[in-house]
Amino acid sequence: MIKKLFNIFNKKENLIGMSYETNFHKAISRTRRLGLNLPKIDFSEERYLTEDYQEYLFKNLVNEVFNTNEIDAQCMSFNYRIREYFHEITDNNFMYTIGYVKYNDKLMFEQTEKSLKNMLNYGIQSIDGSINIHVWLTLPSMEIIDLTLATTLGKVWNKPELIGRLFTRHADEFDGMQYIPLLVGDDFLRKTGALIDIKFI
């Protein structure tokens, strides 16, 4: 009986294959459970990422902040700055989202609630300064904007054709790739010391 209870409390939550919105609601609950501050949360059936809207969002990024050397493995600070920029030019809510990615059968940047809680309690342990966490932006429509993953993978896998690419679409419509949100907001990164405020320039 004791062993059965131990297995129940230590059972890994299965998030693979669930809709992004289902996992996003779980991420909101998880953020609260860990005692973290939640940002403003919105949900909408409206799709935002039309061709015209994307052109409006991204037209100045190349000139102002988009640098592939900067975004390689720098998803936390870069997406923080981009979110601030988007909030300056549009009224839509871009929700800072922490999680991991399943690409075909490979899990990238995987974390669990237990590992996140350990980081909050003991800090992020890293020998080389890298943090195995991924960050992207989620719109109320559950469309996502990921400005860093393709470039990071392009450099790791030596595939130059990926460098500079953006992933922008509804999270459930990626072919062979699933985004799994774990936390919403940047409070986790602030409290673990992984993120410091960076003014957008």
Side-chain angles (χ1 to χ4, degrees):
M1 180 65 176
I2 293 176
K3 184 176 181 181
K4 185 175 181 181
L5 286 172
F6 180 82
N7 289 336
I8 289 172
F9 286 116
N10 287 277
K11 185 178 181 181
K12 186 176 179 181
E13 188 176 16
N14 184 17
L15 305 174
I16 304 297
M18 292 188 176
S19 74
Y20 187 82
E21 185 168 350
T22 296
N23 282 333
F24 197 81
H25 281 286
K26 288 176 179 286
I28 292 170
S29 298
R30 189 178 299 108
T31 302
R32 288 195 180 106
R33 270 198 309 277
L34 292 178
L36 299 169
N37 295 322
L38 272 171
K40 177 185 175 187
I41 302 291
D42 289 316
F43 292 96
S44 174
E45 295 296 320
E46 179 184 355
R47 294 289 183 100
Y48 298 97
L49 294 178
T50 64
E51 186 175 332
D52 288 344
Y53 187 64
Q54 290 190 61
E55 182 178 349
Y56 172 71
L57 288 178
F58 301 133
K59 65 181 178 181
N60 292 319
L61 287 186
V62 172
N63 295 328
E64 297 191 28
V65 297
F66 197 84
N67 182 316
T68 56
N69 290 321
E70 178 188 5
I71 69 176
D72 176 27
Q74 298 294 324
C75 63
M76 289 177 292
S77 60
F78 190 79
N79 279 291
Y80 178 82
R81 292 169 58 206
I82 294 300
R83 183 195 61 182
E84 295 301 298
Y85 172 67
F86 287 163
H87 283 170
E88 287 179 8
I89 66 171
T90 178
D91 292 333
N92 285 329
N93 187 13
F94 296 83
M95 294 172 279
Y96 197 84
T97 311
I98 300 168
Y100 62 99
V101 178
K102 179 178 181 287
Y103 180 70
N104 293 328
D105 293 323
K106 181 178 177 60
L107 296 178
M108 299 179 288
F109 315 105
E110 184 184 15
Q111 296 291 339
T112 64
E113 183 167 339
K114 181 179 179 180
S115 67
L116 295 172
K117 188 173 183 178
N118 284 338
M119 289 184 211
L120 281 169
N121 290 335
Y122 307 112
I124 294 175
Q125 308 297 318
S126 174
I127 296 174
D128 61 359
S130 63
I131 303 171
N132 191 39
I133 290 176
H134 190 51
V135 173
W136 60 90
L137 303 178
T138 303
L139 281 154
S141 55
M142 300 293 101
E143 294 169 291
I144 68 170
I145 295 176
D146 187 340
L147 300 170
T148 62
L149 182 60
T151 294
T152 298
L153 295 180
K155 293 191 175 185
V156 170
W157 294 345
N158 194 27
K159 291 189 175 182
E161 68 273 16
L162 290 177
I163 295 175
R165 287 187 59 189
L166 315 179
F167 292 151
T168 58
R169 67 181 63 181
H170 192 284
D172 291 330
E173 295 175 357
F174 284 95
D175 186 21
M177 185 160 64
Q178 181 185 3
Y179 280 79
I180 298 112
L182 293 176
L183 298 172
V184 184
D186 57 34
D187 200 32
F188 171 82
L189 299 177
R190 295 180 186 283
K191 288 183 175 175
T192 57
L195 177 69
I196 58 174
D197 284 343
I198 300 175
K199 296 281 187 188
F200 183 83
I201 299 173

